[in-house]
Amino acid sequence: MKIGIDKIGFYAPHLYLDMNQLALHRGIEPEKFTIGIGQEEMAVAPITQDPVTLAANAALRILNDDDKEKIDLIMFGTESGIDHSKSAGIYVHHLLNLKESARVIELKQACYGATAAIQLAKGHIALNPESKVLILASDIARYGLKTSGEVTQGAGAVAMVISAAPNIMSIEDKSTFLTSDIMDFWRPTYSEEAFVDGKYSNEQYIAFFQETWKKYKAETNLQLNDFAAICYHLPYTKMGLKALRTVLNDGSKGTQDRLLRNYELSKTYNKLVGNIYTGSLYLSLLSLLDQQKDLKPGDRIGLYSYGSGAVAEFFSGILQPEYQDHLQKEENEELLSSRKELSVSEYEEAFLKTLPQNGENFELDIKNDPAVICVAGI
Ligand code: HMG
C-alpha cells in the first residue's frame, strides 16, 4: 500500500524583517547574512500569533470537509508549545472543528518532531487505510536580540495530510535514523529563548547526515544518482548545502548539477521565512515542489531531518502522478509577497512584547493581524 503526503501547506505571519537591514543595524556586512548564512528575510510573529494559531492557519489553507471527516489522528510537532501538559493539537482540533472521534497528541524532539509524526502516521494508516492523519509542525524560533543566532530565527507552520494513495508523494518504507545525547541546542523550561553551541550544532548536523546517509546507502543499495533532489532541515539555508557538499562527489556530474540546482529551489520559501524548527524540512520540500517545474512523477526525493539533542533520519519519497495539480503555488507566493516589512526597531519591539507569564487574564487587539485565526486573549 502506498502511504504518504496527500496535501501540504504552510502559514507564516504577516510581518517580516529584511536581513540587510538587520545586518546594518548590528554593524555586520549584509553579505554575511544573505550569502554566508543564506537568509534574505525573517518572518516575525506578532503577539497575536503563537504556535497554535500558526498551525491552525496552515491547516485551514489545505483541509476540506472530506479530510475533516476522515482525520482520526492529529499529531502536533513543536518545541515552542504553550503548555507542558495539554497538547497544542487539542486547540487546533477545536478551532478547525475536527471530529470528536480522533486522537490528538503533541510530539517533541526539537526539529525532528514532524518527521517522527510522519513515520507514526504510516503505521496508523497501514492499520486503518481509510483514515487520514493531520500533521502540524509549528514553531517560533527565538535566540534573542543581538545574539549570533538572531539571524537564524523565524516563525511559521506546515500542515500535512497523510493518507493511503496519497496525491503528492508516497513515503518509501526504508529509512535510517540515529540518536545520540548531545548538547548542541536546547531550551530548558525556565527560558523563553534557546541556548545553542552554534559551531558544534553545525558539525553535529553534518556528522549525523553523513552517518544516516551512509547507513541508508548500505541498507537500500540506492546511490546519489537515484535521487532527483534532496531536501534538508534548513535552520538557515546555507546549512543543507554544507551537508550536501560533503557527499556530492559520490554522484556523476549530471547528478551533482541536478542536486545543486534543486537545492537552490528547495530553499525558496525558507530564505524568506527563517527557521521554523520542526516545519523547516517540509517548508523546503514545499518550496521544491512549487518551484521546480522539471520534476516528474516517479522522481525520488531524499529528506534529511535533524532535531538537536539529537535525532536524525534520512528517508525518501516518490512523486505521484499529477502531483502538481495538488499544490497551491500561487497562494503560497501570495502569502509571502503580501507581508508587511518591519523596521529593525519595530522588530525589536515585537520581539520583546510577550504574553504575561503569571496566568492573568489578558486581551489583545487583533484588528491589525490579517490571519483568520489569532490569539485574542488568555
Ligand atoms: P556566526 O558565528 O555568527 O557565523 O554563527 P560565522 O562566523 O560562522 O559565519 C557564518 C558564515 O558566513 C561563514 O560561512 C562565513 O564564512 C560567512 P561558512 O564558513 O559557514 O560557509 N561570512 C560571510 N560570507 C559572505 N560575506 C561576508 C561574510 N562574513 C562571514 N562578508 C551560526 C552562525 C549559524 C552558528 C549562528 O547563527 C547560530 O548559532 N545559529 C543557531 C544554531 C543553528 O542554526 N545551528 C544549525 C545546526 S543545528 C539545527 O539545525 C537544529 C536547530 O534547528 C534546532 C532544533 O533542532 O530544534 C537549530
Side-chain angles (χ1 to χ4, degrees):
M1 186 198 313
K2 283 186 186 170
I3 302 173
I5 301 174
D6 191 51
K7 289 187 172 181
I8 178 167
F10 85 104
Y11 182 78
H14 73 291
L15 304 174
Y16 75 93
L17 178 67
D18 184 328
M19 291 300 100
N20 292 290
Q21 292 304 318
L22 182 66
L24 290 173
H25 275 75
R26 300 289 182 251
I28 291 170
E29 282 181 44
E31 292 76 17
K32 173 174 176 185
F33 286 0
T34 55
I35 299 169
I37 296 284
Q39 291 304 126
E40 291 173 12
E41 295 170 0
M42 172 173 98
V44 177
I47 193 168
T48 47
Q49 291 295 316
D50 70 5
V52 168
T53 60
L54 292 170
N57 284 308
L60 207 56
R61 301 178 79 230
I62 59 166
L63 297 186
N64 62 23
D65 288 344
D66 182 61
D67 299 323
K68 289 186 178 185
E69 179 47 41
K70 293 193 173 135
I71 289 169
D72 62 0
L73 175 59
I74 297 129
M75 289 189 272
F76 194 124
T78 185
E79 57 180 287
S80 49
I82 59 164
D83 193 297
H84 290 307
S85 300
K86 182 167 172 171
S87 152
I90 293 189
Y91 296 105
V92 178
H93 176 269
H94 171 79
L95 287 163
L96 300 183
N97 204 15
L98 298 176
K99 69 178 181 187
E100 214 170 40
S101 52
R103 293 188 178 106
V104 183
I105 53 169
E106 183 172 310
L107 298 174
K108 180 176 68 182
Q109 180 18 65
C111 299
Y112 174 73
T115 302
I118 288 183
Q119 298 297 358
L120 294 174
K122 277 193 73 185
H124 179 77
I125 304 281
L127 291 172
N128 308 278
E130 296 302 317
S131 74
K132 293 186 176 186
V133 178
L134 175 63
I135 295 181
L136 303 159
S138 182
D139 274 304
I140 299 178
R142 291 167 64 89
Y143 292 93
L145 301 177
K146 301 178 184 160
T147 61
S148 68
E150 184 175 29
V151 59
T152 63
Q153 298 177 135
V158 172
M160 289 177 275
V161 175
I162 307 294
S163 72
N167 278 316
I168 295 181
M169 188 171 89
S170 63
I171 304 289
E172 293 191 285
D173 285 343
K174 191 67 218 160
S175 78
T176 48
F177 36 87
L178 197 63
T179 294
S180 179
D181 181 3
I182 60 166
M183 294 304 276
D184 61 332
F185 165 106
W186 66 105
R187 185 167 71 83
T189 45
Y190 56 78
S191 178
E192 280 287 301
E193 278 96 41
F195 298 132
V196 63
D197 185 341
K199 298 276 183 281
Y200 180 58
S201 71
N202 287 357
E203 284 162 23
Q204 291 302 312
Y205 174 112
I206 292 173
F208 275 67
F209 169 65
Q210 291 173 336
E211 192 55 32
T212 49
W213 170 240
K214 194 170 82 188
K215 276 177 72 185
Y216 183 89
K217 279 193 303 181
E219 291 177 24
T220 61
N221 286 324
L222 292 169
Q223 300 296 327
L224 215 50
N225 295 343
D226 295 308
F227 288 83
I230 300 179
C231 292
Y232 289 82
H233 163 55
L234 294 181
Y236 58 95
T237 72
K238 181 86 165 287
M239 188 69 247
L241 182 61
K242 290 189 199 199
L244 174 61
R245 279 180 180 153
T246 67
V247 298
L248 257 191
N249 283 341
D250 295 354
S252 64
K253 174 78 175 69
T255 296
Q256 295 186 20
D257 292 348
R258 180 177 71 250
L259 294 181
L260 286 171
R261 198 169 55 245
N262 287 339
Y263 182 83
E264 277 304 302
L265 295 167
S266 75
K267 63 185 198 184
T268 310
Y269 300 152
N270 303 69
K271 70 185 175 196
L272 304 177
V273 170
N275 195 357
I276 57 168
Y277 290 155
T278 187
S280 287
L281 167 61
Y282 301 98
L283 186 61
S284 173
L285 174 65
L286 186 55
S287 302
L288 177 76
L289 298 179
D290 274 1
Q291 302 298 327
Q292 176 51 289
K293 291 284 153 270
D294 294 343
L295 290 172
K296 316 177 292 306
D299 278 349
R300 174 177 286 112
I301 312 290
L303 296 129
Y304 174 61
S305 179
Y306 178 81
S308 283
V311 180
E313 180 154 347
F314 190 91
F315 63 113
S316 54
I318 303 289
L319 294 180
Q320 295 302 293
E322 291 157 24
Y323 75 92
Q324 285 106 334
D325 297 346
H326 301 276
L327 299 171
Q328 302 175 321
K329 179 176 187 285
E330 277 85 38
E331 291 90 329
N332 291 336
E333 288 171 349
E334 162 69 16
L335 179 79
L336 292 173
S337 63
S338 62
R339 294 180 304 168
K340 176 175 173 282
E341 182 176 349
L342 293 180
S343 68
V344 174
S345 59
E346 286 168 329
Y347 145 70
E348 290 179 344
E349 197 182 316
F351 184 91
L352 294 171
K353 202 190 274 178
T354 51
L355 293 170
Q357 298 291 314
N358 57 3
E360 73 186 25
N361 286 348
F362 192 70
E363 276 185 29
L364 288 167
D365 181 358
I366 57 169
K367 72 172 181 307
N368 292 324
D369 189 335
V372 179
I373 298 174
C374 301
V375 181
I378 300 179

